Amino acid sequence: MKVTQQLFVTLKEEPADAEVRSHALMARAGFLHKLAAGQYTYGPMLLRVLKKIEAIVREEHEAAGCQELLMPALQPRELWDSSGRWDRYVADGILFHFTDRKGSEVCLGPTHEEVITTFVKRFVKSYKQLPLILYQIQTKFRDEIRPRFGLMRGREFIMKDAYSFDASEEAMKASYDVMRGVYYRIFERSGLRFTPVQADAGAIGGSGSEEFMVDADTGEDAIAVCRATGYAANVEKAVSRISAAPATPEKVGIHKEPTPGAKTCEALLELFPQLPIERLLKTVLYEATTEEGTSVVAVMARGDREINEVKLLNHMNALDVQLASPETVKRVTGAEVGFAGPIGLAEEVRLLADSSVEGVDGFLCGGNETDTHYLDVWFGRDLEQPETLDLGLVQAGDLVAEGEGEIEITRGIEVGHIFQLGTKYSSAMDAKFAPEQGPTEPYWMGCYGIGVSRVAASAIEQNHDDAGMIWPIPIAPYTVMIVQMRAGDEAQDALAQEVHDNLEAAGIDVLWDDRKKVSPGVKFKDADLVGVPLRIVVGRDATDRKVEWNSRSEEGSEVMDVDAALEKVKQAVTEATAR
Ligand code: ATP
Ligand code: MG
């Protein structure tokens, strides 16, 4: 393909709202254009990338025996009521929903568990038709709170979603393992560096789930990893062991201390320099919304620990948890924010504690009175130890829960998420099959998502430099770029044409910069920006059948015979696709 036959425009300016490199570079290179928040036109170059990712996704799914189908994006409310998810998704605000001309409520699908379950329910009646894994590649719609980071978090984005149906729990786990293998191969073949991690199942639900994280400092997700044991989990889900609090002091009586304006642990430590931070117990107030309504919950934790709101939400079986408003804090503690404690809270408050408080005694805690804390408080003597459970956020330096090793926190971009759903949807939707013996049973399900458009963005987050994008060969818009220094020069025209035809004949896609009135400097700048991974420069030495060869990811270039350069290209392609 010649550049002059393409819509090929590069811009000097980055969009003002581009917060991450992948967005800025893709916008400058004409790969995408923002229509509205979280909605992008995918230009021809980007579409080539997406099609390559989709091809890898399809090949690996087909190889594992999955079948492709296509479901409607527009879905009726009744379907979502039948699984019980409509209210939660509406409350979350994630669902795009509206009323059609007949007055029926509909939504634009953020995910397709309900649609696939009604489809399979209609056609799969017997255990003999199982196992079954179906998938589609389709645009999904989510009214994200903060659509940003370009393709990373769209309100409209391309997802591959697959669903497995099995006759038993063991069979579901076997399908899950098959899909885990499919995911490994897809991300490996795409040329990405990634880490699979244990994950929270969120609103999708189910019993077990893992996320595939592309390693990138700009990732929105924090991951707890232990190099010694291989443990890796999203911090939303991660568990750890923490060091014990220092030995407790002698028992002295509980008493109030004036703590004017001391609303944070730091301020309190300044007032009580002799107190180790572990003996300062904070009490954080939340408003939790469940199907029954909103209630206030107070969570205690050691001063050096943070509370994991995802664990709290799961424990409360809540739709949402938020820090309590100052008005609520005042109502249930009688004090301003910053002085809440476990003693003397309003009746309506449910008190929980993170397991970090276990064994801590003689501590400082809020007095439920503005500018006041209690000191030398003992569980058992001054108050009952509240229900304790793991509600803590794992921190760097914690000990791994099983085995020996330390936790580090790294960052990643979630490109895939796989779930064991159990019978959550099939039971709710009465979707059953006849087993070999006995009455009908609900299918055992799994679901498996890949953010196809997010994969493209994450590849660039992981592979770029100051000059532009660096596409991994397997998903690059073009594999080779021919930069012709002087288009119109007879020897150069002929040699560039030869390189072009030779590579196309070998099934390698090539973009040929044949622009006439553009300087070599601009051509090199554009080639760097667009990030085609392999480059052949056809210039002055064309008369000697010599070209310059270089790889976008490596410094420097080499002048060589054209046949040797073609050989280099073919070798690089073979290596990159042999994974
Ligand atoms: P996140 O935690 O990033 O919001 P999620 O856990 O809600 O994502 P899933 O329901 O697991 O997402 O969706 C499957 C996959 O779809 C994700 O692993 C991710 O790659 C992709 N994805 C989800 N939301 C978006 C989005 N707003 N824009 C682009 N890709 C997305
Ligand atoms: Mg997810």
Side-chain angles (χ1 to χ4, degrees):
M1 170 64 92
K2 290 180 175 173
V3 163
T4 52
Q5 291 171 341
Q6 265 206 340
L7 174 67
F8 187 91
V9 182
T10 58
L11 308 172
K12 286 214 173 63
E13 313 264 287
E14 293 182 358
D17 64 345
E19 293 175 78
V20 291
R21 294 319 293 155
S22 59
H23 181 194
L25 294 170
M26 283 195 205
R28 273 188 55 206
F31 278 48
L32 53 73
H33 177 250
K34 178 166 149 185
L35 184 66
Q39 292 170 260
Y40 296 88
T41 298
Y42 310 140
M45 290 283 254
L46 177 57
L47 196 60
R48 292 180 67 92
V49 172
L50 298 174
K51 291 230 148 112
K52 285 198 182 174
I53 299 169
E54 289 180 7
I56 294 172
V57 166
R58 284 200 170 89
E59 275 172 36
E60 291 300 334
H61 278 74
E62 300 288 327
C66 311
Q67 291 170 73
E68 186 170 0
L69 48 39
L70 189 57
M71 295 177 268
L74 200 59
Q75 306 180 13
R77 173 182 176 154
E78 296 75 62
L79 199 58
W80 282 70
D81 279 334
S82 72
S83 68
R85 275 211 293 188
W86 182 268
D87 289 336
R88 174 161 189 175
Y89 274 66
V90 169
D92 266 2
I94 200 89
L95 202 65
F96 279 109
H97 59 102
F98 49 94
T99 307
D100 69 13
R101 68 164 80 204
K102 296 209 177 71
S104 307
E105 280 190 272
V106 289
C107 69
L108 292 172
T111 176
H112 278 70
E113 283 75 14
E114 288 81 359
V115 183
I116 194 88
T117 304
T118 42
F119 174 78
V120 170
K121 176 180 173 179
R122 180 82 183 94
F123 294 107
V124 175
K125 303 286 184 199
S126 156
Y127 75 96
K128 290 183 193 149
Q129 295 166 281
L130 301 173
L132 180 65
I133 308 181
L134 299 168
Y135 75 99
Q136 64 173 349
I137 298 179
Q138 191 209 34
T139 297
K140 293 278 187 280
F141 299 86
R142 294 185 182 181
D143 197 357
E144 300 277 0
I145 304 180
R146 275 183 295 277
R148 55 181 184 169
F149 300 159
L151 296 185
M152 217 82 100
R153 185 165 295 283
R155 296 199 302 165
E156 181 175 336
F157 59 96
I158 301 174
M159 198 203 283
K160 182 288 308 181
D161 44 329
Y163 304 87
S164 62
F165 294 84
D166 278 287
S168 68
E169 186 172 8
E170 301 77 68
M172 169 189 77
K173 288 184 175 162
S175 291
Y176 180 88
D177 287 342
V178 166
M179 290 305 288
R180 187 205 272 122
V182 167
Y183 274 49
Y184 262 95
R185 283 191 297 281
I186 288 171
F187 297 124
E188 252 160 33
R189 281 188 58 189
S190 301
L192 299 167
R193 298 180 296 283
F194 64 96
T195 309
V197 306
Q198 295 175 23
D200 179 68
I204 307 264
S207 50
S209 92
E210 284 162 282
E211 289 163 338
F212 286 76
M213 296 286 186
V214 165
D215 309 333
D217 295 338
T218 50
E220 285 186 277
D221 286 279
I223 307 164
V225 295
C226 170
R227 313 243 173 230
T229 60
Y231 177 76
N234 192 316
V235 290
E236 290 177 352
K237 170 88 178 176
V239 293
S240 66
R241 282 181 290 147
I242 61 174
S243 52
T248 40
E250 279 186 28
K251 246 183 187 169
V252 284
I254 178 173
H255 58 279
K256 279 188 180 171
E257 288 274 352
T259 53
K263 301 178 175 184
T264 61
C265 291
E266 294 74 49
L268 287 164
L269 289 174
E270 265 178 37
L271 284 181
F272 302 94
Q274 78 291 0
L275 192 77
I277 188 165
E278 292 89 346
R279 285 224 319 277
L280 197 160
L281 296 191
K282 53 182 151 195
T283 306
V284 186
L285 293 167
Y286 291 96
E287 282 164 286
T289 307
T290 63
E291 267 156 18
E292 282 84 56
T294 300
S295 60
V296 183
V297 50
V299 184
M300 295 184 74
R302 224 166 73 178
D304 58 334
R305 308 302 301 179
E306 299 295 328
I307 293 158
N308 182 332
E309 291 174 9
V310 174
K311 288 181 183 172
L312 177 63
L313 180 121
N314 288 342
H315 177 70
M316 300 290 295
N317 201 9
L319 304 171
D320 186 42
V321 291
Q322 297 281 343
L323 278 178
S325 66
E327 297 74 52
T328 303
V329 172
K330 184 93 199 188
R331 188 181 80 234
V332 301
T333 67
E336 281 171 33
V337 174
F339 303 94
I343 302 170
L345 281 172
E347 279 278 302
E348 65 176 280
V349 181
R350 175 164 168 200
L351 183 62
L352 297 172
D354 172 49
S355 36
S356 60
V357 309
E358 276 167 21
V360 180
D361 271 317
F363 54 84
L364 179 98
C365 63
N368 291 326
E369 187 182 323
T370 301
D371 295 341
T372 307
H373 280 75
Y374 282 115
L375 190 55
D376 293 317
V377 188
W378 289 72
F379 285 129
R381 183 190 71 185
D382 305 318
L383 75 156
E384 281 300 303
Q385 179 166 314
E387 180 188 345
T388 47
L389 65 151
D390 177 20
L391 294 172
L393 196 65
V394 167
Q395 291 169 197
D398 288 357
L399 298 174
V400 71
E402 280 171 34
E404 292 303 321
E406 237 183 54
I407 298 269
E408 272 174 60
I409 306 291
T410 64
R411 300 203 76 83
I413 301 166
E414 179 194 327
V415 285
H417 198 164
I418 58 179
F419 302 78
Q420 293 177 16
L421 294 174
T423 60
K424 173 176 163 165
Y425 293 91
S426 49
S427 297
M429 297 175 66
D430 197 33
K432 293 179 175 163
F433 67 97
E436 205 166 353
Q437 280 170 351
T440 56
E441 292 172 8
Y443 317 109
W444 288 83
M445 292 172 55
C447 74
Y448 316 88
I450 290 182
V452 171
S453 40
R454 192 184 277 183
V455 168
S458 67
I460 294 309
E461 285 307 315
Q462 200 170 57
N463 304 286
H464 66 266
D465 59 18
D466 289 345
M469 303 184 267
I470 306 174
W471 288 101
I473 289 177
I475 63 172
Y478 290 92
T479 310
V480 183
M481 182 125 181
I482 304 171
V483 180
Q484 187 180 344
M485 307 283 271
R486 234 176 57 170
D489 173 286
E490 214 173 298
Q492 289 190 26
D493 285 351
L495 194 63
Q497 184 76 51
E498 183 185 328
V499 170
H500 174 270
D501 295 351
N502 181 302
L503 291 175
E504 288 220 322
I508 296 173
D509 44 12
V510 41
L511 182 62
W512 172 6
D513 193 346
D514 62 335
R515 287 177 293 177
K516 279 209 167 110
K517 285 183 189 128
V518 176
S519 73
V522 169
K523 287 185 181 176
F524 284 124
K525 269 214 166 95
D526 283 349
D528 281 347
L529 175 61
V530 166
V532 172
L534 306 175
R535 188 180 306 170
I536 290 178
V537 182
V538 176
R540 228 177 309 153
D541 296 336
T543 39
D544 299 333
R545 296 183 57 74
K546 285 209 182 328
V547 297
E548 217 176 275
W549 142 270
N550 92 321
S551 148
R552 178 68 183 83
S553 56
E554 285 161 28
E555 290 283 311
S557 59
E558 226 182 301
V559 176
M560 61 177 74
D561 195 74
V562 68
D563 298 317
L566 289 170
E567 216 27 66
K568 280 249 183 204
V569 167
K570 286 170 196 169
Q571 206 182 322
V573 171
T574 310
E575 269 168 29
T577 47
R579 262 185 269 258

